[in-house]
Every structure is written in C-alpha cells, then in structure tokens.
Amino acid sequence: MEVFDTIARLIDLRSFSNLWYWIALAAVWSSASHWVLGVPWDMVIRARRKGGDAGQDLAAMTALSARRLNRIRRDAGFSMSITIPFMLSFLIITGFIYGSETAQAFALLLVPMMAVFGLSLRLAHKLDAEPTLAHDPAIAIKALSRHRVNVQAIGVVAIIVSALWGMYQNLLASMLV
C-alpha cells in the first residue's frame, strides 16, 4: 500500500495540474480548428489560392461532409438529443456541485465542443438544404472560413476559462496542503 501512496504523491493525479490535460485541451482545439465541418483547412487554403480543380474538390468535400453530418443528425438525432444533455448535465453537476475535478475538466472540454458540434450541424443543414451552396467553391470557402472563425472564437474562450478555472483549482489545492 505504501508504494501506491508514494506514486500518488510523486505524480499529481488532479486534472488541472496534470500536463496531459493541457496537452489534450490543445490537441482538441487544434484539431477542431483544422477540421472545419470535416474538411481539412489546408484544402480550403489550396482552393482559395489555386481555384479550378482544387475549388471543385473543396466544394465536393464540403457537400459530402454536409450530407454526412445531416445523415448522422437524422439517424441518431433523437438518441443524441437525450444522451448528450444527460452526459453534460452529469459532468457539470458532478464537477461543479459535488467538486470532482476530473468531471470539471471533462465539462470544460466537452461543453464548448458540443457548441461547435451544434454550429457544425447548423451549417451542414444550411448547406444541404440548398445544394447549389455546397457545390459553389466560393460559397464553400466563405462558409467554411466563417465557421472556422466561430470555432476558433469558442476555442479561445474555452481555453481561457479552462486556464482560469485550473489556476483557481491549483491555488485552492495549494492552500489546503
């Protein structure tokens, strides 16, 4: 039993003082801003610079991703509309009312990601409702660029809130020790 106590003292297992949480947070938001609506951002840049076939490829990929997200919404929408709020409510209540730091960390990671998912579903619905929108490279570039700015804004706010809350939790833990 002493071995586990020693390991637990050497490795701080609290979420906000753990380097892996911050690496995961950075990786999640980096990935979210790179894969805009399921389309890689370098594809948007290439279509903006070169046009032609690159623009047509982007328009096709955007239309495909919009249809895919709408199919997911259609097929699993009801179960997602029950499961996701339940999961997020569980994390928020467990984390911020009952004080579980791990649940707080997951809530600060997943709640903003669900906002991004909602924005992605809304854009996919808009693009899929009018097929001419998704098949025009200029409109696809504009829509994906605007969506990326929104994702990045949510990400910046989420990272700042997570950092502030993490610092608060670490200061609180250092005062208790």
Side-chain angles (χ1 to χ4, degrees), residues 10 31 71 74 78 177:
L10 289 175
S31 178
R71 192 172 308 118
R74 251 190 331 271
F78 180 72
V177 173

Side-chain angles (χ1 to χ4, degrees), residues 11-26:
I11 302 171
D12 194 2
L13 299 175
R14 294 178 306 112
S15 299
F16 295 112
S17 61
N18 194 329
L19 179 64
W20 291 108
Y21 173 74
W22 299 106
I23 291 172
L25 185 72

Side-chain angles (χ1 to χ4, degrees), residues 15-170:
S15 299
F16 295 112
S17 61
N18 194 329
L19 179 64
W20 291 108
Y21 173 74
W22 299 106
I23 291 172
L25 185 72
V28 163
W29 286 110
S30 174
S31 178
S33 70
H34 178 71
W35 291 92
V36 183
L37 199 74
V39 178
W41 184 248
D42 61 296
M43 200 172 185
V44 177
I45 292 171
R46 192 175 309 114
R48 185 182 294 150
R49 287 184 187 155
K50 295 183 180 179
D53 287 341
Q56 294 303 321
D57 290 346
L58 174 70
M61 183 78 162
T62 302
L64 181 77
S65 292
R67 279 196 312 272
R68 184 181 67 76
L69 279 175
N70 280 322
R71 192 172 308 118
I72 290 170
R73 183 180 48 85
R74 251 190 331 271
D75 295 345
F78 180 72
S79 60
M80 285 189 323
S81 68
I82 293 171
T83 306
I84 291 172
F86 172 77
M87 179 185 66
L88 294 179
S89 298
F90 174 78
L91 287 173
I92 290 168
I93 290 169
T94 304
F96 295 101
I97 293 178
Y98 292 111
S100 169
E101 193 172 311
T102 304
Q104 291 171 4
F106 277 116
L108 289 172
L109 187 65
L110 292 176
V111 169
M113 285 307 295
M114 289 304 113
V116 168
F117 183 63
L119 287 175
S120 296
L121 285 177
R122 188 177 82 177
L123 178 60
H125 179 69
K126 180 180 172 184
L127 291 174
D128 204 30
E130 290 188 46
T132 56
L133 290 178
H135 293 291
D136 182 7
I139 293 175
I141 290 169
K142 185 177 178 183
L144 293 176
S145 297
R146 189 176 315 122
H147 184 64
R148 185 172 192 239
V149 167
N150 291 336
V151 168
Q152 287 177 331
I154 292 171
V156 166
V157 170
I159 290 170
I160 289 170
V161 168
S162 295
L164 291 174
W165 187 257
M167 283 188 285
Y168 171 73
Q169 289 296 328
N170 287 335

